[in-house]
Amino acid sequence: MRNFSHCLRGFAILIAGTTIAASAHAADLASDTAELVKRGEYLARASDCVACHTAAHGKPFAGGLPISSPVGTIYSTNITPSNEFGIGHYTEQQFSDALRHGIRADGANLYSAMPYTSYSVFTDDDVHALYEYFTFGVKPVDQPVPKTSLPFPLNIRASMKVWNFLFLNKDTFQPDPHHSVEWNRGKYLVQGAAHCSACHTPRGFLMQEETSLELAGGQVGAWYAPNITSDATSGIGSWSKEDLVDYLRFGRVRGKAQAAGSMGEAVEHSFQYMSTADLEAMATYVKSVPPIHDSTDDTSRFSDGATSSELAALRGRDGVKSANDAHPTGSELFQANCASCHSAQGQGSKDGYYPSLFDNSATGSRNANNLVATILNGVDRTTTAGQAYMPGFGGNPDDINALSDEDIALLGNYVLRHYGNAHATITVQKVAEVRKGGPSSSLVALARAGIGAAGAAMILLLAYVTVRSRKRRI
Ligand code: HEC
Ligand code: HEC
Ligand code: HEC
């Protein structure tokens, strides 16, 4: 008996011991998973998955955001772990194939509106962390999204295979031993998660990124993502590393630039959440990108213009207009619509909340696209530094603030002549184009001309245009 009870006790201790060990193991596993989920969440933020995969006023990641392209609307999909409507049934391999190679679980190709060409550099570890996050860290939303149905031949997803064959680099990131760990981390983030080049690198005829012109500037829908190579005149060679870190975190650098449009969104939804170490790493890499000089730039866009005012001349008038003076002048339009914030002489407010209109990349650039886009769409960006808000003047014609294309050209040219780059001009056609959402691609022209199969295959690539015309979420 003694022996038996001894045995029993021993058994109990054994069981208790195993349970303790097992729960310790479970706790380890749980904290490993929690750690991975956290890392996945950080990467998802840095990659801005939510920007495209959330509809206006919709649940995060439940998809349904319409992304317009000249040939039809592509809807982002539900990437919550819902089994029926989302990616709950995706294995890690299938998730990795979608993310890095643009292949859906059913084997069909994704349109490149999903930026898998940038995400292809993701390491296996990072894909794993993202998978854990989208499996355990995101709430399933059982809700369908509208189906994307582009017209023939764009509905043949397999044609993306041709494009992938030509342009998709399937290699994950390979560190360069000649550079520091920080530089390599920066390059990995800039090319992958933060995909700066998706907007800042010009695109070729087939909408592929021109890798030899890395970060030399590109049109992104209504906005122009400027040259951010290290060239001192055409690029941001004059910026310090701290300037760039501040810009990515707050969306502005006084006396240089502000972030509106898709850059404002990227700062608000993504970059401001990145760690200081990661922002510094990205700045280190960006500052090392070889300079690309545009020979039409003779001065830096950050150093153009000076304080100026025609107010005195205006005041000198008696206020009665002659018949052929019925239309307001550029100066009058400026005083009526802009001076209240940017001040009568364009120098902005003392605290810098309202920026000066000289020493400002939006007015100092030879390409006045972003001045037009700002007047039409305004600025709305919230970071830890608060909200930067300027109303847009492009509204409906019955909106009292709305300005016509003619008014904006007149006003814009006044701003350029007085505060900005005197060599730049804004035509009424340019304003109309930006109002429409930016220039359309040469591929559209090809497609319209109906040049047959080759043209048709190319139109498929138009999906790419969509990356550049991300709709606002709000
Ligand atoms: C610039 C917009 C954009 C961003 C950013 C983006 N996606 Fe997508 N994604 C899309 C679109 C659009 C589709 C659907 C494309 C199609 O139908 O061919 C898609 C499809 C997918 C799919 C396939 C889903 C399915 O229904 O089978 C997955 C998985 C996915 N995205 C995950 C992600 C993750 C994870 C991130 C962030 C790391 C991300 N996406 C960032 C636009 C985007
Ligand atoms: C979704 C498109 C998009 C992405 C992604 C993007 N940018 Fe931008 N960027 C823009 C646009 C558009 C502007 C012009 C904004 C304005 O003038 O208000 C801009 C402006 C800038 C400027 C200011 C240049 C100037 O002359 O005013 C810098 C610097 C910059 N971006 C750096 C980056 C870096 C670094 C990354 C990646 C970490 C990045 N951007 C990612 C679209 C983008
Ligand atoms: C109600 C105040 C207000 C009015 C009116 C206003 N602005 Fe602004 N403007 C701002 C603010 C705020 C910013 C953004 C500052 C920031 O990004 O931190 C801004 C930014 C700008 C920029 C830089 C945008 C960029 O992306 O780099 C330009 C150019 C500009 N305004 C021109 C104008 C012109 C021209 C008018 C008249 C049509 C005008 N503003 C009217 C408040 C205003």
Side-chain angles (χ1 to χ4, degrees):
M1 266 322 265
R2 226 181 103 231
N3 269 354
F4 180 66
S5 66
H6 195 76
C7 257
L8 256 187
R9 233 180 76 215
F11 190 58
I13 291 168
L14 189 74
I15 290 184
T18 329
T19 321
I20 290 166
S23 62
H25 181 63
D28 274 359
L29 260 185
S31 83
D32 279 0
T33 307
E35 199 50 46
L36 267 177
V37 167
K38 237 174 94 190
R39 202 154 67 80
E41 181 177 16
Y42 179 81
L43 282 163
R45 270 237 157 102
S47 315
D48 214 0
C49 316
V50 78
C52 294
H53 283 280
T54 309
H57 313 298
K59 300 227 169 71
F61 303 117
L65 179 79
I67 300 178
S68 54
S69 90
V71 288
T73 300
I74 297 176
Y75 290 94
S76 66
T77 49
N78 180 332
I79 56 167
T80 71
S82 159
N83 279 323
E84 196 181 348
F85 301 105
I87 59 168
H89 61 290
Y90 266 64
T91 63
E92 185 165 337
Q93 184 58 49
Q94 289 169 333
F95 179 75
S96 155
D97 286 343
L99 208 59
R100 293 192 285 194
H101 303 149
I103 315 259
R104 245 169 27 184
D106 66 359
N109 282 82
L110 291 172
Y111 295 119
S112 45
M114 162 69 190
Y116 58 88
T117 46
S118 299
Y119 301 152
S120 64
V121 299
F122 279 173
T123 61
D124 294 347
D125 276 359
D126 280 352
V127 172
H128 180 56
L130 279 165
Y131 184 70
E132 294 292 294
Y133 171 61
F134 280 100
T135 307
F136 299 113
V138 172
K139 283 210 184 83
V141 179
D142 294 316
Q143 194 176 290
V145 296
K147 221 172 138 59
T148 296
S149 53
L150 298 185
F152 178 82
L154 279 105
N155 54 351
I156 308 172
R157 288 175 175 267
S159 326
M160 285 308 296
K161 285 190 202 308
V162 181
W163 193 90
N164 288 344
F165 173 75
L166 290 172
F167 303 118
L168 175 64
N169 178 6
K170 285 195 173 182
D171 295 335
T172 55
F173 184 71
Q174 300 301 321
D176 179 345
H178 302 295
H179 287 279
S180 68
V181 173
E182 189 193 38
W183 183 92
N184 275 295
R185 172 75 182 161
K187 180 174 182 191
Y188 174 62
L189 291 168
V190 162
Q191 296 194 335
H195 54 280
C196 317
S197 66
C199 298
H200 285 275
T201 297
R203 298 199 182 247
F205 187 62
L206 293 179
M207 300 312 290
Q208 79 282 13
E209 283 174 27
E210 295 277 19
T211 42
S212 62
L213 295 174
E214 186 184 6
L215 303 184
Q219 189 73 32
V220 198
W223 294 81
Y224 186 77
N227 181 332
I228 54 165
T229 68
S230 54
D231 190 78
T233 314
S234 302
I236 56 168
S238 61
W239 290 35
S240 68
K241 191 170 141 186
E242 291 68 40
D243 285 342
L244 190 48
V245 168
D246 275 1
Y247 183 83
L248 294 175
R249 182 174 284 151
F250 304 119
R252 61 182 304 164
V253 176
R254 197 167 177 178
K256 289 196 166 70
Q258 306 72 216
S262 42
M263 187 69 198
E265 289 172 33
V267 167
E268 175 169 332
H269 301 300
S270 178
F271 304 150
Q272 69 159 324
Y273 295 104
M274 294 180 80
S275 68
T276 304
D278 277 349
L279 291 174
E280 284 177 350
M282 293 203 294
T284 299
Y285 172 71
V286 170
K287 289 208 50 78
S288 78
V289 169
I292 293 175
H293 183 71
D294 178 343
S295 58
T296 62
D297 291 332
D298 39 15
T299 52
S300 155
R301 61 183 180 273
F302 310 112
S303 60
D304 251 314
T307 169
S308 164
S309 177
E310 281 185 358
L311 202 58
L314 250 184
R315 287 210 181 100
R317 291 193 189 180
D318 57 10
V320 181
K321 289 186 176 182
S322 63
N324 56 1
D325 196 16
H327 201 271
T329 63
S331 164
E332 286 166 330
L333 285 165
F334 181 82
Q335 297 305 335
N337 296 290
C338 321
S340 58
C341 294
H342 293 284
S343 85
Q345 301 184 33
Q347 79 272 33
S349 59
K350 273 223 173 70
D351 64 359
Y353 178 80
Y354 299 118
S356 77
L357 295 180
F358 40 91
D359 297 340
N360 189 329
S361 75
T363 58
S365 174
R366 183 115 193 178
N367 174 349
N369 187 99
N370 289 350
L371 173 58
V372 176
T374 303
I375 300 175
L376 282 166
N377 306 315
V379 183
D380 190 358
R381 180 190 72 243
T382 302
T383 65
T384 50
Q387 186 188 21
Y389 179 77
M390 160 173 159
F393 293 82
N396 307 318
D398 47 335
D399 178 344
I400 47 159
N401 280 331
L403 296 175
S404 67
D405 293 352
E406 289 75 15
D407 285 345
I408 292 178
L410 207 58
L411 168 59
N413 285 321
Y414 171 84
V415 170
L416 288 171
R417 260 197 337 277
H418 290 267
Y419 310 110
N421 189 321
H423 302 296
T425 29
I426 296 170
T427 61
V428 175
Q429 289 74 20
K430 177 71 190 174
V431 182
E433 178 186 277
V434 176
R435 195 191 281 274
K436 249 186 23 237
S440 51
S441 147
S442 51
L443 294 178
V444 188
L446 263 188
R448 291 209 178 113
I451 68 156
M458 284 183 228
I459 322 171
L460 280 158
L461 310 172
L462 270 179
Y464 231 70
V465 174
T466 56
V467 176
R468 325 162 101 213
S469 56
R470 255 193 223 178
K471 279 227 174 119
R472 302 201 65 145
R473 287 200 310 139
I474 338 136

